[in-house]
Amino acid sequence: MSIDERTAARIDDYLNDKLSKSERKKFESELKSNPELADELKIQENLLQIIGERGITTSRSSFSKEAIDEVAGFLSGDEMTRIRKDIEEINDRYNGKTSKTRTLFYQITGIAASVLILLSLGLTLLLNKNGDLYSQYKDKYQPISMVERSETESALSIVEKNFNEKQFAKVISITSASGDLKFKYPVMLLYQGIAYRELGEYPNALESFSEFGLISDLDTNLMYWHQGLVYLKADDLEKARETFSKIDQNGSFKGEADVKEILDSLK
């Protein structure tokens, strides 16, 4: 079956719910009587399925040369290998019927779809790069353990226990109800801020860290570290750079090398 531009457009409109009720009914009637048209529809559905499964998006319309160069680097990665295999399977089904003549337009449509998948996946990976950066560092340089320092306050023990078990909602519940205890043990605010950050409550996380800074002049670099991670997770790269740059890099923070790597990655 030779698919012309009009038929290809109708398939696209059908898949994107752009047909009127009467047009859709007519098209579905044709599908029942025309197996080859139904086959073409299935091919397009398969392409859309791959796009959906991979979470591919092309919502970003402009990229710097550096971004494009990084996308090129992704093309040789494992994820690209997997997506290429998916495309090859679709291509085999698409062009494997030697008895059918494909119009130049529709062949180009198939090629363009494959290129779109490859390029979009690269851009998606690029946009997720900062999330990967956050995942790489989020568990480093946790607050000091008050329990290990022989503090006997039960609330601290419970906070640490729940924090270590990643029960972040419980951490927030306890620290929020601790009142003046946080002034005696400011480290509770660090636990609270990290818990808020892990739950995606970024304003509350930043407020907790700021409150820590007002109460204590100890572990300031650690506070900036975790503040920076909030901005990194929230994809506010300018604020992330600004915050990580505040960390004193004269040897007073054991994560100095990591700070440098993060700042280099955010250039």
Side-chain angles (χ1 to χ4, degrees):
M1 176 180 180
S2 179
I3 301 297
D4 57 22
E5 184 173 351
R6 179 174 173 278
T7 303
R10 289 180 66 209
I11 292 174
D12 182 69
D13 288 343
Y14 177 78
L15 291 173
N16 290 284
D17 292 323
K18 294 181 179 180
L19 297 179
S20 65
K21 287 184 178 181
S22 59
E23 289 173 332
R24 188 175 187 83
K25 186 175 180 180
K26 180 180 179 182
F27 185 82
E28 290 175 344
S29 178
E30 289 183 41
L31 288 174
K32 293 177 181 179
S33 60
N34 190 335
E36 292 185 330
L37 178 62
D39 188 48
E40 298 295 338
L41 174 65
K42 187 63 177 177
I43 289 170
Q44 296 305 307
E45 287 178 327
N46 288 335
L47 288 171
L48 291 175
Q49 182 181 359
I50 289 178
I51 292 172
E53 288 175 350
R54 299 293 178 176
I56 293 168
T57 177
T58 55
S59 58
R60 302 290 182 92
S61 58
S62 60
F63 297 88
S64 66
K65 179 181 182 301
E66 290 76 14
I68 294 173
D69 289 342
E70 289 200 54
V71 169
F74 287 128
L75 295 177
S76 59
D78 292 339
E79 184 67 11
M80 268 304 178
T81 299
R82 287 191 288 273
I83 195 65
R84 283 194 181 98
K85 288 182 179 178
D86 286 340
I87 293 173
E88 287 172 2
E89 291 177 4
I90 293 299
N91 185 65
D92 288 343
R93 291 197 292 272
Y94 189 86
N95 288 316
K97 308 175 188 63
T98 56
S99 61
K100 297 183 179 181
T101 302
R102 305 284 178 172
T103 65
L104 179 60
F105 167 81
Y106 212 48
Q107 289 180 35
I108 291 175
T109 299
I111 294 171
S114 299
V115 172
L116 173 65
I117 291 172
L118 289 171
L119 180 58
S120 298
L121 177 64
L123 296 179
T124 300
L125 291 173
L126 174 64
L127 296 176
N128 288 337
K129 178 183 176 183
N130 299 316
D132 293 339
L133 193 62
Y134 171 78
S135 298
Q136 181 179 350
Y137 292 104
K138 72 183 183 69
D139 293 324
K140 284 193 170 186
Y141 315 116
Q142 300 295 355
I144 58 173
S145 172
M146 300 301 292
V147 175
E148 290 178 1
R149 295 177 66 174
S150 300
E151 297 290 351
T152 57
E153 175 57 54
S154 61
L156 282 172
S157 299
I158 297 172
V159 167
E160 285 195 35
K161 180 178 182 296
N162 283 287
F163 182 87
N164 292 332
E165 294 175 353
K166 301 187 184 301
Q167 300 294 322
F168 299 120
K170 291 182 180 179
V171 170
I172 292 170
S173 177
I174 298 167
T175 55
S176 297
S178 295
D180 293 341
L181 191 61
K182 287 183 286 189
F183 288 90
K184 183 178 180 181
Y185 301 109
V187 69
M188 293 182 73
L189 288 164
L190 293 181
Y191 283 116
Q192 177 178 281
I194 295 171
Y196 273 127
R197 186 187 71 211
E198 289 303 296
L199 294 176
E201 299 184 33
Y202 305 135
N204 288 332
L206 293 171
E207 183 179 350
S208 297
F209 293 134
S210 295
E211 191 176 351
F212 172 86
L214 292 173
I215 296 174
S216 175
D217 58 358
L218 300 175
D219 293 326
T220 302
N221 287 330
L222 186 62
M223 176 195 70
Y224 286 139
W225 170 266
H226 287 291
Q227 276 185 331
L229 289 176
V230 173
Y231 290 121
L232 197 59
K233 187 177 183 183
D235 203 31
D236 189 338
L237 305 189
E238 182 177 350
K239 281 288 188 180
R241 280 191 296 268
E242 178 183 327
T243 305
F244 283 116
S245 296
K246 292 179 181 179
I247 295 177
D248 186 2
Q249 298 186 51
N250 62 5
S252 61
F253 180 57
K254 60 183 178 181
E256 179 181 349
D258 289 327
V259 171
K260 184 178 184 304
E261 286 184 9
I262 290 174
L263 289 174
D264 286 344
S265 297
L266 294 176
K267 286 181 179 178

